[in-house]
Amino acid sequence: MTPAQRAHLRRLAHSLPVTVMIGKHGLTENILSKVEQELDAHELIKLRFLDYKDMKEELVETIVATTGAELVAIIGHTAILYRRHRDPAQRKITV
């Protein structure tokens, strides 16, 4: 992904609500399945760290490796993830 594409996705994500929150239980199977569902539904999501803030980079790497998403940015305690929809007819975002 080029820097211009990342900047475009960051602009799109600015107004999005946070859809997944990582709390005191950390990165669980439920969180990973929620991330999968949200990526399938929206392609671009925001993920907030309520706990485990000191481990956010490692946890985001695990999420990216597991889901096949791309990390757009980590801003504060919020990560922005993007995964293009598998079905071309259902793609909402053009990068």
Side-chain angles (χ1 to χ4, degrees):
M1 184 178 301
T2 67
Q5 290 171 326
R6 285 186 195 282
H8 174 68
L9 290 173
R10 281 180 66 173
R11 282 192 297 276
L12 292 175
H14 181 71
S15 62
L16 293 178
V18 173
T19 56
V20 180
M21 294 187 193
I22 297 181
K24 63 182 176 182
H25 297 295
L27 188 59
T28 62
E29 288 298 321
N30 289 339
I31 296 290
L32 288 173
S33 66
K34 176 72 171 169
V35 169
E36 284 282 347
Q37 289 173 352
E38 293 297 326
L39 285 169
D40 284 339
H42 304 290
E43 294 181 307
L44 186 66
I45 64 168
K46 286 167 102 174
L47 176 80
R48 176 157 300 142
F49 290 88
L50 302 175
D51 286 328
Y52 296 96
K53 294 174 183 174
D54 55 337
M55 298 176 53
K56 64 185 166 209
E57 288 85 8
E58 295 88 6
L59 293 175
V60 167
E61 286 178 20
T62 303
I63 293 169
V64 166
T66 304
T67 62
E70 292 187 57
L71 175 64
V72 175
I74 296 178
I75 303 168
H77 300 299
T78 303
I80 303 168
L81 301 177
Y82 170 75
R83 184 177 71 192
R84 191 170 74 170
H85 201 283
R86 294 175 186 94
D87 183 9
Q90 294 185 359
R91 291 183 184 153
K92 299 174 185 154
I93 299 173
T94 305
V95 180

